[in-house]
Amino acid sequence: MRKSQMEAVLDKQWDVAKSIVSLEPDNSGTHDEQPKIFLNLPKAMHHGWDNKYVIGVGEGFFGANHCNTKWLLNIMGDGGDCRLLRMLKQGRTRILFETDKYYQLLDQPSLYLKGNALERSMFNSKTVLFMNSFGIAVYLRYYGALKVLSKQQKFRKPMIYYNQDNYASFVNDTSCGDIMLFHYDYIILKREAYGAIPHLLAIRWAPGDPSKLVYRRRYYQYITPFLDWVDVCRNVLKRKPSLQLSKVSQQLIESRSPQFKLIDLKEMGQVMLEYFELKKLNSENFNDPNSFGMYAGRKLLHDKEPSMPSDYVKVFEHKPARPVIPHAVSAPRRFLSYTYYYDYENLTTLSQILSVTEVFQKNRYFCCDRHCSEALWHKDPLLFQIYEIVNLHCLEDLDADAESEKVKKVVLREQNWSDIASKPHMLCWFHRYDIMNCISLLFGVLQTCLLKNFPAIIIDRICKILLDILISSEFIEPFLSYSFYDTFFGLTSLSNCVPGLQSTSVMRVMKKAPLMLTQFYSIPQISDMFSMSFWRKRDSSNDDRPSTLDEVGDFLVTRKRLMSMRIMAGEGGEGMSCTSAMGSAGSIIMFARDYEKMCEVSQAEEEAVDTGKSDTIKKAQDEMLHIQRYTRQEIDFRYSSLFGQSFRYAVGRPKLVLDESKTLSQNEKESRDVPTKLP
């Protein structure tokens, strides 16, 4: 019965497959016309391309009913390894397992896996696959065979290449035919063969290397570039929300392969920030003795020049510079950004994204680095920490001699990313900045769930993940020590900020944090999360830390937080009332960094936040503009990494060169003035 079903499908499709898949002439003697690649792009895109880029399975593969195909499936499907090892030792049979020997299979796993009638196809039941022995073993989850094949790499010529092409035909077009090219990692995700990841790493697959997915119909061909394994997962997740990203990440981490790094920040160009510029006031730049030692802050927005009140002209003498930093993102941050930027309408991937975030949390990705914890300001308000990282001056080389030129300090954000990535004392600060952005994205996802009235169990899960990350990264003390305003302005000054962030989202976590701390952690654990200065204001007559969970809970709930903002001057007071999430570009906000100069603020005062309807509309507009800009930058970088400048010229968006002395709109305009023709 199985044989007749297979033959019926093959006979029906083979006539078309000969011209589309195998590039063979048809019965009339006419040859398949070469497809016109990228018909919708200018001729500049065809420069340097020839027919060798047109994908197709060459002649010489073994058909689905061929005896060699049945023999291979029988050998690899055997529970023991003895037969497979014996065949690999013989020259005349070993050649059948090599990387360039293809076999034809129907995309119906239940035909080959006895007793598994519920196995899902990789594409659909009418698809025909062309894979080598390793690809078949991944497809059918023959982990024993994969283990044996992966150990054959010790010979001078590897038997299996990690980037070997595999093919599928009749994926979308079952009448005229089509063909798709993919690699082993794509098979693993589509077939959920997570146990094959260690064996793929054993044949020197590097998860951080770029790859591509090529789809061809008769007259056109599409290429989808992937920067690394995260892009492949996001592509599959779009059509397969049930993909268990946590298992993929756990397998990569547990493999302890040198090809995979837990802290691996992918540089994706540059990004211009909207943040608070802070200036310390002294007798030379300010005339009010009561404000000496405090900081004057003004919000720098992308496309709005801040107006300068007359009293602060001397404080901000220079032209405002919007900082430009390398846009280096981690795997958990890119997964969270996918949910917030691409899946915000339905949140179908929320469960999987939260699971993969928990995996990275349990494997200590969000831990605070030693170099960061040694900084005196690593427990300051979030706003000050962002300012310090953006303007950080660090040694060019820690191991350089005292008389060497590399002893001098350099501005961190102005260094090349290759130099930063190779020096741990520089990379750790971008790692900490990446953690801040992950926290901001989690707040954005939490707010989306609140607006969509998600169940309380999902809200509590996000709050628990946020709390665990805050504890691991040592952000928990500034989060609970300082007011809502300090956290709020800090979260809206990041690369992955949430322009429409509402007070209820931040306050929700602040209220739940004390309850969750006493519920999930012991007294010694809670005590070690905070410094002595945090517990010192518990009682003026007793500086000891609380001794029971009830005392800890009471202290965390009733303790009044400090507010670094003291007064405001200049035009308007939007920053203090928080009616604008991004602050007011024309107002000056005074910040105190010394504990003695900070005033206490109660929860009632924090909750009394004006969120008018007009401001809500403004926030929604800012948020949509931010999402549009971020997604466009990410997609352009991904495609230009494969096609180079030709892609940017073809779509009319040349590479954006960011100048800190100009607004973002001015930078975009000057980039558009670049000629849109290839030299």
Side-chain angles (χ1 to χ4, degrees):
M1 183 67 180
R2 292 176 180 172
K3 182 178 179 180
S4 61
Q5 181 183 1
M6 184 184 298
E7 289 180 346
V9 176
L10 291 175
D11 292 342
K12 180 180 179 181
Q13 298 179 346
W14 183 242
D15 291 337
V16 181
K18 288 175 66 178
S19 58
I20 299 300
V21 180
S22 300
L23 300 179
E24 295 179 350
D26 57 17
N27 295 331
S28 62
T30 59
H31 294 272
D32 182 21
E33 185 177 348
Q34 291 294 344
K36 301 175 183 178
I37 308 171
F38 298 110
L39 284 177
N40 58 332
L41 297 181
K43 292 183 179 180
M45 286 293 293
H46 303 287
H47 180 72
W49 285 60
D50 52 32
N51 293 337
K52 69 181 180 181
Y53 291 96
V54 180
I55 64 171
V57 181
E59 299 180 18
F61 60 84
F62 299 105
N65 285 325
H66 196 278
C67 58
N68 286 347
T69 305
K70 298 177 180 179
W71 173 84
L72 183 80
L73 293 171
N74 183 273
I75 291 292
M76 292 197 303
D78 194 353
D81 300 338
C82 297
R83 293 176 61 197
L84 179 57
L85 288 170
R86 189 167 64 250
M87 295 299 105
L88 289 172
K89 292 179 181 179
Q90 301 177 16
R92 62 187 181 86
T93 53
R94 178 184 174 84
I95 194 174
L96 297 175
F97 294 91
E98 291 188 350
T99 191
D100 56 349
K101 297 297 180 182
Y102 288 94
Y103 300 85
Q104 184 188 51
L105 272 71
L106 290 180
D107 192 8
Q108 300 179 27
S110 57
L111 294 177
Y112 310 103
L113 298 173
K114 297 180 180 179
N116 293 295
L118 300 179
E119 286 284 344
R120 292 184 178 181
S121 302
M122 186 171 169
F123 298 102
N124 60 73
S125 59
K126 296 182 179 180
T127 299
V128 179
L129 305 173
F130 300 86
M131 299 183 293
N132 59 7
S133 59
F134 196 89
I136 292 175
V138 174
Y139 176 79
L140 297 177
R141 295 194 284 268
Y142 289 155
Y143 298 137
L146 285 173
K147 183 178 180 180
V148 174
L149 293 174
S150 62
K151 291 182 178 180
Q152 303 301 312
Q153 303 302 101
K154 62 183 178 180
F155 296 95
R156 181 179 301 175
K157 179 184 177 182
M159 191 177 70
I160 302 294
Y161 291 103
Y162 69 88
N163 59 350
Q164 185 67 31
D165 298 334
N166 291 271
Y167 304 89
S169 63
F170 302 100
V171 177
N172 296 314
D173 191 345
T174 58
S175 58
C176 297
D178 56 11
I179 184 169
M180 180 180 288
L181 180 149
F182 48 88
H183 298 110
Y184 300 125
D185 52 354
Y186 192 76
I187 305 175
I188 289 175
L189 299 178
K190 293 288 286 185
R191 287 284 295 136
E192 300 185 36
Y194 309 116
I197 293 177
H199 306 301
L200 186 57
L201 290 167
I203 62 173
R204 302 179 183 178
W205 171 61
D209 285 354
S211 61
K212 58 186 177 182
L213 185 71
V214 187
Y215 178 75
R216 173 199 165 197
R217 283 195 181 182
R218 192 176 183 89
Y219 293 113
Y220 57 84
Q221 180 167 293
Y222 292 140
I223 299 180
T224 304
F226 302 132
L227 295 177
D228 55 7
W229 70 280
V230 177
D231 277 346
V232 183
C233 291
R234 286 171 39 163
N235 180 272
V236 177
L237 191 67
K238 182 166 53 177
R239 297 173 178 83
K240 192 181 180 71
S242 62
L243 178 66
Q244 299 185 35
L245 292 176
S246 58
K247 288 189 176 181
V248 178
S249 304
Q250 193 65 41
Q251 287 283 357
L252 287 170
I253 296 172
E254 291 180 351
S255 65
R256 302 189 183 278
S257 172
Q259 293 101 273
F260 177 79
K261 296 180 180 179
L262 182 65
I263 302 178
D264 185 17
L265 303 182
K266 179 71 67 174
E267 191 265 337
M268 301 177 65
Q270 293 181 320
V271 62
M272 178 177 284
L273 300 183
E274 291 184 327
Y275 88 132
F276 272 95
E277 183 184 19
L278 303 174
K279 291 294 182 182
K280 192 171 184 179
L281 303 180
N282 51 48
S283 57
E284 296 180 358
N285 62 15
F286 203 63
N287 53 12
D288 184 4
N290 296 325
S291 299
F292 293 168
M294 299 186 66
Y295 290 81
R298 62 173 178 177
K299 186 73 174 184
L300 298 181
L301 303 182
H302 282 159
D303 299 320
K304 188 175 181 180
E305 293 290 351
S307 58
M308 188 52 53
S310 57
D311 294 341
Y312 295 87
V313 172
K314 201 169 184 180
V315 179
F316 300 98
E317 295 178 337
H318 63 282
K319 186 178 180 181
R322 298 160 181 82
V324 175
I325 65 172
H327 187 45
V329 292
S330 63
R333 180 175 164 190
R334 290 165 67 190
F335 283 126
L336 287 169
S337 64
Y338 178 81
T339 298
Y340 177 70
Y341 290 108
Y342 298 91
D343 192 31
Y344 59 90
E345 292 185 356
N346 301 315
L347 292 180
T348 56
T349 61
L350 177 62
S351 177
Q352 304 303 331
I353 298 299
L354 293 179
S355 297
V356 75
T357 307
E358 290 173 334
V359 168
F360 277 90
Q361 160 61 20
K362 292 177 182 177
N363 287 276
R364 302 177 61 82
Y365 170 79
F366 296 102
C367 287
C368 183
D369 188 87
R370 173 180 57 86
H371 293 91
C372 299
S373 60
E374 291 175 353
L376 298 177
W377 44 266
H378 91 286
K379 290 190 176 181
D380 281 358
L382 193 62
L383 190 69
F384 284 99
Q385 294 197 42
I386 295 172
Y387 178 81
E388 293 290 349
I389 292 177
V390 170
N391 299 279
L392 183 65
H393 288 68
C394 59
L395 293 175
E396 188 175 358
D397 190 353
L398 290 178
D399 300 327
D401 297 333
E403 298 179 355
S404 174
E405 294 182 356
K406 293 187 177 180
V407 176
K408 65 180 181 180
K409 288 190 174 183
V410 295
V411 181
L412 180 61
R413 74 170 188 265
E414 295 177 356
Q415 305 306 302
N416 294 327
W417 176 249
S418 58
D419 296 333
I420 296 174
S422 61
K423 299 174 181 177
H425 72 286
M426 293 185 178
L427 182 63
C428 65
W429 296 110
F430 277 91
H431 176 218
R432 187 162 181 80
Y433 184 75
D434 183 82
I435 296 174
M436 292 183 186
N437 283 274
C438 290
I439 294 172
S440 175
L441 288 169
L442 278 169
F443 270 107
V445 173
L446 172 65
Q447 176 171 293
T448 305
C449 293
L450 290 172
L451 294 176
K452 293 181 179 294
N453 297 320
F454 271 52
I457 188 172
I458 297 179
I459 304 298
D460 292 343
R461 183 184 180 187
I462 300 176
C463 291
K464 178 62 167 57
I465 295 174
L466 262 170
L467 184 64
D468 291 339
I469 294 176
L470 289 170
I471 294 171
S472 299
S473 57
E474 299 186 16
F475 282 120
I476 185 65
E477 182 167 339
F479 182 73
L480 293 180
S481 297
Y482 304 107
S483 69
F484 153 81
Y485 304 101
D486 295 289
T487 302
F488 185 82
F489 280 121
L491 292 174
T492 53
S493 299
L494 295 162
S495 303
N496 293 115
C497 64
V498 182
L501 187 63
Q502 298 179 3
S503 60
T504 54
S505 304
V506 182
M507 293 302 300
R508 183 74 171 253
V509 182
M510 282 186 165
K511 290 179 180 179
K512 280 187 170 293
L515 302 177
M516 288 187 170
L517 281 173
T518 55
Q519 180 180 357
F520 296 105
Y521 295 94
S522 62
I523 294 179
Q525 289 175 323
I526 298 175
S527 179
D528 293 339
M529 294 175 191
F530 304 93
S531 62
M532 285 300 300
S533 61
F534 179 82
W535 304 106
R536 216 162 263 153
K537 294 191 176 183
R538 170 173 168 254
D539 188 352
S540 58
S541 61
N542 184 10
D543 289 342
D544 295 335
R545 303 184 183 189
S547 57
T548 64
L549 283 176
D550 291 337
E551 291 181 1
V552 171
D554 292 340
F555 170 72
L556 294 176
V557 171
T558 59
R559 181 183 187 273
K560 291 185 177 180
R561 290 186 280 270
L562 299 175
M563 184 170 64
S564 66
M565 285 179 290
R566 286 288 299 275
I567 59 174
M568 288 195 307
E571 303 172 5
E574 293 182 327
M576 187 65 176
S577 64
C578 288
T579 55
S580 174
M582 300 305 296
S584 175
S587 64
I588 300 295
I589 303 178
M590 302 297 290
F591 293 95
R593 207 165 184 176
D594 187 0
Y595 292 128
E596 302 301 327
K597 294 184 178 181
M598 293 183 184
C599 60
E600 291 184 345
V601 57
S602 64
Q603 292 187 8
E605 292 172 330
E606 287 182 321
E607 293 174 1
V609 179
D610 180 16
T611 54
K613 183 177 180 181
S614 60
D615 183 61
T616 303
I617 297 175
K618 177 65 167 57
K619 287 181 179 181
Q621 294 174 349
D622 292 341
E623 189 167 11
M624 291 307 299
L625 179 61
H626 172 70
I627 291 175
Q628 180 183 1
R629 280 176 168 170
Y630 186 86
T631 53
R632 185 180 64 185
Q633 176 189 358
E634 187 178 78
I635 294 172
D636 286 358
F637 181 85
R638 188 157 56 89
Y639 276 84
S640 61
S641 64
L642 176 65
F643 299 109
Q645 285 297 329
S646 57
F647 167 78
R648 296 186 179 274
Y649 288 127
V651 297
R653 292 194 298 268
K655 185 177 180 180
L656 184 62
V657 180
L658 296 175
D659 186 350
E660 293 187 355
S661 62
K662 301 176 182 177
T663 64
L664 184 59
S665 297
Q666 290 173 339
N667 287 317
E668 290 177 346
K669 182 180 182 302
E670 292 180 1
S671 298
R672 285 195 296 268
D673 293 339
V674 176
T676 56
K677 293 184 179 180
L678 286 175

